[in-house]
Amino acid sequence: GTTINKAEISKADQFDPDSQVNTGTEDGQDDTDDALLTTQQADLSLLKTVSNTSPTVGSNVTYSILVKNDGPNIATNVEVKDVLPAGLQFVSSSQLVNVAGTLTGTIASIPSGGSASVNFVAKVLNAGVTTNAAEVSKADQPDLDSPHGNGTGNAEDDRGSVDINAQQADLELTKAVSKTNPNVGETITYTITVVNKGPSIAT
């Protein structure tokens, strides 16, 4: 925010005809002055999306992390952090570095009113719901309504998460034959029935 710093002449051996020393900084005399500074701040928000919310196990999905800056100043050295949960395996990214399942990347600058995104590809290992979250972990400028790097387990706007529900299908097979004691040379019919108990379609 804004800070005003004031100073005054508090002593002197000689008399000053138009200003009295040590009378405070609010008297309007010319032996006092102030300097104003306004520290930079950037209101950052994060949105996370995924290319496929119902993938198959073993397939790859692409996660996109969009960081928006609502200002009032430019945001610089904005670091994004994403910890992969069990059920996801890092595949590739041109913007994020993977260290033991923790992905980090730095966006050099985001102008006020602008946005920037980073992406990565992950492999789906498990069926069912998997939640992946990311946060703004660092920036040169403070964010007054969402401190950087305090985790993803909160409702702040500089973190975001997305769910995937990997498809699974419970398949059963039964086999029957039209005649169990045929004669040699007789034609018989085998019937193979596959039942899908879901919850997803089987392809």
Side-chain angles (χ1 to χ4, degrees):
T2 299
T3 302
I4 300 176
N5 182 224
K6 300 181 179 182
E8 69 164 328
I9 297 172
S10 56
K11 288 182 182 179
D13 289 337
Q14 289 72 31
F15 173 75
D16 186 334
D18 62 3
S19 53
Q20 292 135 11
V21 298
N22 204 33
T23 56
T25 59
E26 306 298 328
D27 58 10
Q29 299 177 10
D30 66 356
D31 66 341
T32 180
D33 200 8
D34 58 56
L36 181 146
L37 64 86
T38 302
T39 55
Q40 297 182 31
Q41 53 186 316
D43 185 6
L44 300 176
S45 58
L46 185 148
L47 175 67
K48 185 162 188 181
T49 57
V50 65
S51 59
N52 187 358
T53 57
S54 56
T56 56
V57 174
S59 65
N60 291 342
V61 293
T62 300
Y63 286 94
S64 297
I65 301 169
L66 178 71
V67 181
K68 183 181 178 184
N69 177 18
D70 288 327
N73 302 111
I74 186 174
T76 55
N77 294 317
V78 179
E79 183 185 85
V80 175
K81 180 180 179 182
D82 189 304
V83 179
L84 293 181
L88 290 177
Q89 181 181 50
F90 177 77
V91 175
S92 65
S93 176
S94 61
Q95 300 153 309
L96 301 174
V97 176
N98 173 36
V99 178
T102 297
L103 312 182
T104 55
T106 300
I107 302 169
S109 64
I110 307 174
S112 178
S115 61
S117 62
V118 296
N119 306 296
F120 69 92
V121 178
K123 183 177 181 179
V124 180
L125 302 180
N126 297 339
V129 177
T130 300
T131 302
N132 182 219
E135 66 166 327
V136 175
S137 51
K138 291 180 184 177
D140 290 338
Q141 295 73 25
D143 188 332
L144 298 185
D145 63 4
S146 47
H148 307 314
N150 61 344
T152 58
N154 54 63
E156 295 174 359
D157 63 356
D158 70 340
R159 49 85 60 197
S161 65
V162 63
D163 292 341
I164 60 171
N165 190 356
Q167 299 178 40
Q168 53 185 329
D170 184 6
L171 301 177
E172 291 184 357
L173 182 148
T174 58
K175 185 171 183 178
V177 64
S178 59
K179 191 174 183 179
T180 58
N181 58 343
N183 293 313
V184 175
E186 185 178 355
T187 300
I188 58 174
T189 300
Y190 285 97
T191 301
I192 300 172
T193 302
V194 179
V195 176
N196 176 19
K197 294 188 174 181
S200 307
I201 184 175
T203 57

